């Protein structure tokens, strides 16, 4: 993967524009960042090939699919080892309710973002999928009342921090 220092202002401008609207046409993207369409297309391809862009995604309203309740489940493991961490991570990634997994520092070891139909199903998920696991010492569920995505890069559009 390329480092921040390998990206020039045009690359950063492309990333910022795609972060705001991944469906933008190449023609409009090129115009917005001040490049020829062929140059812009080649830069986007290179950003994908080098891993600066991991993919293009639709932001889906989970409530429209019947998943009206979202939560973060904080998990503390009994012990720590690479094998236990990898086993737990692989396990939770296989759960259909899981939207994202964060391996974190601090009192908790993992934050697991889940979406479920309702409180009963969320409770069952915690009791069946997390509590009985031998590597889990503690899990706490925190409801998500609102999620506000922020569509900006951690650096300015000009590449400056």
């Amino acid at each position: 993967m390329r480092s921040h220092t390998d990206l020039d202002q045009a690359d950063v401008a492309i990333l910022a524009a795609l972060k705001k609207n991944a469906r933008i046409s190449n023609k409009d993207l090129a115009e917005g960042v001040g490049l020829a369409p062929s140059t812009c297309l080649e830069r986007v391809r290179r950003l994908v090939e080098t891993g600066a862009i991991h993919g293009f995604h639709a932001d889906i309203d989970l409530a429209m699919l019947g998943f009206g309740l979202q939560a973060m489940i904080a998990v503390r493991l009994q012990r720590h080892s690479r094998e236990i961490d990898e086993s737990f991570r692989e396990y939770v990634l296989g759960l259909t309710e899981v939207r994202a997994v964060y391996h974190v520092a601090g009192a908790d070891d993992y934050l697991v973002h889940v979406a479920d139909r309702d409180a009963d199903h969320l409770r069952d998920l915690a009791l069946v999928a997390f509590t009985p696991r031998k590597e889990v010492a503690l899990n706490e569920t925190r409801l998500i009342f609102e999620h506000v995505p922020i569509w900006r890069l951690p650096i300015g559009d000009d590449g400056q921090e």
Side-chain angles (χ1 to χ4, degrees):
M1 186 170 144
R2 295 165 64 176
S3 71
H4 170 65
T5 57
D6 294 336
L7 301 177
D8 64 16
Q9 288 181 323
D11 291 332
V12 173
I14 289 169
L15 292 172
L18 289 174
K19 185 69 176 167
K20 289 178 187 169
N21 179 8
R23 293 179 49 121
I24 190 171
S25 71
N26 184 62
K27 179 180 178 249
D28 290 342
L29 177 61
E31 184 178 307
V33 299
L35 294 173
S38 59
T39 302
C40 185
L41 183 61
E42 181 55 37
R43 282 179 174 260
V44 171
R45 284 185 181 144
R46 192 178 46 218
L47 289 166
V48 170
E49 288 171 3
T50 61
I53 297 174
H54 293 272
F56 300 88
H57 310 280
D59 186 13
I60 297 168
D61 184 347
L62 294 173
M64 295 290 289
L65 298 174
F67 296 95
L69 189 63
Q70 293 186 57
M72 294 297 270
I73 299 178
V75 178
R76 195 169 308 154
L77 300 179
Q78 291 275 5
R79 294 182 306 111
H80 297 277
S81 74
R82 183 172 301 278
E83 181 181 296
I84 290 171
D85 280 351
E86 288 175 1
S87 172
F88 180 76
R89 180 181 177 275
E90 188 172 321
Y91 169 74
V92 294
L93 287 173
L95 298 172
T96 57
E97 298 86 354
V98 172
R99 311 283 29 107
V101 176
Y102 303 92
H103 190 185
V104 297
D108 300 314
D109 298 304
Y110 285 90
L111 292 176
V112 183
H113 179 194
V114 299
D116 223 322
R117 288 180 274 173
D118 54 41
D120 289 337
H121 287 95
L122 179 61
R123 181 195 62 232
D124 291 345
L125 176 68
L127 291 174
V128 172
F130 290 90
T131 303
R133 298 284 303 182
K134 66 180 184 327
E135 67 265 47
V136 174
L138 175 72
N139 69 77
E140 296 177 344
T141 303
R142 298 175 180 116
L143 295 180
I144 298 173
F145 294 122
E146 181 181 24
H147 173 248
V148 181
I150 299 175
W151 304 110
R152 64 176 171 237
L153 296 173
I155 55 176
D157 291 352
D158 60 359
Q160 302 300 310
E161 293 186 33

